[in-house]
Amino acid sequence: MIKYLIWGTGKRSQNLFGRMKLYPYAKQQFEIVAFISNDTNNGETLDSIPIISPLKIAEYEYDYICIWSTYEKEIREEISDLGISPDKVKDIYEDLYNGLKQQYEASDDPEINEIMKEIDKTRKPAWIYYYNADKEWPLMEAFFDESKDMFFVMFEEKRMYLSCDYKEDDFIVKDGKKYIGNVWAEQDKNSPHRYEEGDVCVKEGDVIVDCGACEGNFTLHNIDKVSKAYIIECDPGWQEALRYTFEPYRDKVVFCNKFVSDKDTDKDITIDSLVKDRVNYIKMDIEGEEIAALRGAKKTLDDNQDICCSICAYHRHGDAEKITKELEEHGFECSPSNGYMLFLADNDVWEHPELRRGVIRAHKARR
């Protein structure tokens, strides 16, 4: 592992460090030995990692110093005064940034160029999304249901239960109240993760298949208008929560706890096996298994004419093109969502930096 000292303990540093902990590659490759601050007392820690004075740097074994502070110029001067070589200063995201610059320096795609302008401002590509939100998305207050021993939030005036894996430390606490980030923010009008747009939308009386339901917000958003919803989620942490969330709608909901795939086994299921009636809308967000799931839905895609799909394409390299090809073979017209995503949860993106389309939207071409 590459050993780092992070200079900075303020909001900027905490934000970047918090993001870094979400990414498997970063956790596997980088070890944070200590944080550095001029304002520290002996024994202070940040996330159980020691905070040290600059005068203590020589006592630690490290490969690089990463500066996460708005006072970068002054810190570089202080590092020089300490006799530390400038070659020892390197941002954790530097290689990723340089890879993106090399990849897109000659790009004529205006969307990519806008994203690169945003990344250039900080030279720290630490976020998955780069778009200007159409509106403010407030935090969602979390409440505890003692009868179910589970937290929930109010989503569009409906209770939406949270995974049983949620712990006290997972919440944002303000004025004694618990909050989570807004779960619908990724459906912002300008988000590359937006499912519905134009003709690709859920209509009154539709039958929908929600593959990778997670907390169930997509189906819950449309539950009043659909006639039936297949909710597929294989994460045990969400399964119980989903059953509580959709308890008021149990007459129109079918749950499935298997992996959606191109084969039927004890753990896997195909859409063609699961769904025997009509289907009008398929949404997929299943961690890179979207192509296999589409191949297991050939009959469903062929037999239904009034059908559209929103298929996530950001999990793996080349998926946008492969998903488009797969759907076009079944008579769909396809287009990507606006913008791109930097999917840092995929290790390949760190080693081969690239921006990826978020969602492929598709509807049946007129025949």
Side-chain angles (χ1 to χ4, degrees):
M1 296 182 76
I2 302 173
K3 295 183 177 182
Y4 269 94
L5 301 177
I6 294 180
W7 198 311
T9 56
K11 288 184 179 180
R12 181 183 180 84
S13 178
Q14 292 181 40
N15 193 4
L16 286 165
F17 179 62
R19 299 299 306 181
M20 190 195 79
K21 291 194 299 179
L22 298 175
Y23 308 135
Y25 182 89
K27 291 191 291 186
Q28 294 162 11
Q29 298 295 319
F30 309 130
E31 177 186 355
I32 310 306
V33 178
F35 289 90
I36 306 169
S37 173
N38 281 304
D39 302 312
T40 185
N41 297 313
N42 288 334
E44 285 189 309
T45 63
L46 177 57
D47 201 52
S48 300
I49 298 171
I51 302 174
I52 65 172
S53 160
L55 299 177
K56 298 282 189 179
I57 291 175
E59 299 177 13
Y60 286 78
E61 181 182 338
Y62 67 96
D63 296 299
Y64 296 107
I65 296 173
C66 175
I67 302 172
W68 284 349
S69 168
T70 54
Y71 300 100
E72 183 169 345
K73 180 181 178 182
E74 293 84 352
I75 291 171
R76 285 184 179 272
E77 292 174 354
E78 188 169 353
I79 288 172
S80 178
D81 292 341
L82 290 168
I84 299 171
S85 169
D87 293 338
K88 297 290 282 185
V89 180
K90 181 180 179 179
D91 197 276
I92 285 172
Y93 292 98
E94 184 174 318
D95 290 341
L96 181 62
Y97 170 76
N98 290 335
L100 288 168
K101 288 287 287 185
Q102 182 177 357
Q103 174 84 338
Y104 298 115
E105 61 184 355
S107 174
D108 58 2
D109 186 324
E111 290 181 311
I112 286 178
N113 290 336
E114 282 301 311
I115 292 172
M116 290 308 300
K117 283 181 183 178
E118 287 298 311
I119 291 174
D120 281 339
K121 290 178 181 178
T122 64
R123 300 171 64 92
K124 294 173 176 56
W127 287 266
I128 290 176
Y129 294 107
Y130 292 88
Y131 68 91
N132 294 317
D134 182 60
K135 57 179 285 188
E136 292 285 336
W137 293 96
L139 297 175
M140 305 180 78
E141 185 175 356
F143 306 91
F144 189 72
D145 186 335
E146 293 185 358
S147 67
K148 296 178 173 58
D149 193 30
M150 192 172 288
F151 287 97
F152 68 92
V153 296
M154 295 304 297
F155 175 70
E156 297 178 352
E157 300 182 353
K158 302 177 180 72
R159 284 194 178 196
M160 185 173 71
Y161 284 86
L162 303 179
S163 168
C164 57
D165 293 331
Y166 262 82
K167 308 301 180 189
E168 293 287 339
D169 292 344
D170 294 325
F171 295 102
I172 301 165
V173 179
K174 290 187 175 182
D175 300 324
K177 296 181 179 179
K178 296 182 177 67
Y179 297 88
I180 64 169
N182 198 301
V183 297
W184 202 239
E186 67 179 16
Q187 296 306 308
D188 183 272
K189 181 180 178 182
N190 297 326
S191 169
H193 204 295
R194 182 179 173 89
Y195 295 124
E196 297 181 88
E197 186 72 29
D199 292 334
V200 181
C201 63
V202 178
K203 300 182 293 295
E204 193 72 32
D206 275 358
V207 175
I208 67 173
V209 181
D210 187 350
C211 305
C214 196
E215 65 277 298
N217 57 10
F218 179 78
T219 295
L220 195 58
H221 173 72
N222 290 295
I223 195 65
D224 291 327
K225 69 171 73 168
V226 302
S227 61
K228 192 171 187 178
Y230 291 85
I231 299 177
I232 307 171
E233 178 54 59
C234 56
D235 185 337
W238 284 111
Q239 289 165 8
E240 184 180 10
L242 285 167
R243 293 186 182 278
Y244 287 140
T245 295
F246 290 97
E247 193 173 31
Y249 313 98
R250 55 185 176 274
D251 59 327
K252 60 166 70 176
V253 168
V254 176
F255 292 104
C256 177
N257 299 335
K258 292 187 175 184
F259 293 93
V260 193
S261 181
D262 56 356
K263 58 184 179 295
D264 292 299
T265 69
D266 290 342
K267 295 182 179 180
D268 306 295
I269 194 167
T270 63
I271 289 177
D272 284 346
S273 296
L274 175 66
V275 182
K276 299 302 182 183
D277 48 10
R278 66 180 170 92
V279 175
N280 305 105
Y281 192 105
I282 299 174
K283 166 250 169 183
M284 284 188 193
D285 187 354
I286 49 175
E287 307 302 324
E289 298 303 316
E290 286 82 2
I291 294 169
L294 288 173
R295 290 173 179 165
K298 290 181 178 180
K299 186 176 187 302
T300 301
L301 296 173
D302 284 336
D303 290 354
N304 290 277
Q305 297 306 308
D306 182 18
I307 182 174
C308 52
C309 303
S310 295
I311 313 297
C312 286
Y314 59 87
H315 294 106
R316 293 181 179 174
H317 171 76
D319 269 5
E321 294 78 15
K322 293 173 186 176
I323 290 167
T324 297
K325 183 175 183 295
E326 193 73 33
L327 289 168
E328 287 178 344
E329 290 177 354
H330 295 281
F332 285 83
E333 293 181 352
C334 302
S335 61
S337 55
N338 295 331
Y340 290 84
M341 295 169 61
L342 181 62
F343 189 56
L344 296 173
D346 180 10
N347 290 0
D348 286 345
V349 172
W350 291 81
E351 297 176 353
H352 307 286
E354 66 173 353
L355 299 168
R356 297 174 181 172
R357 288 294 190 183
V359 174
I360 298 300
R361 304 190 189 111
H363 65 279
K364 270 290 177 77
R366 293 182 179 178
R367 296 181 177 180

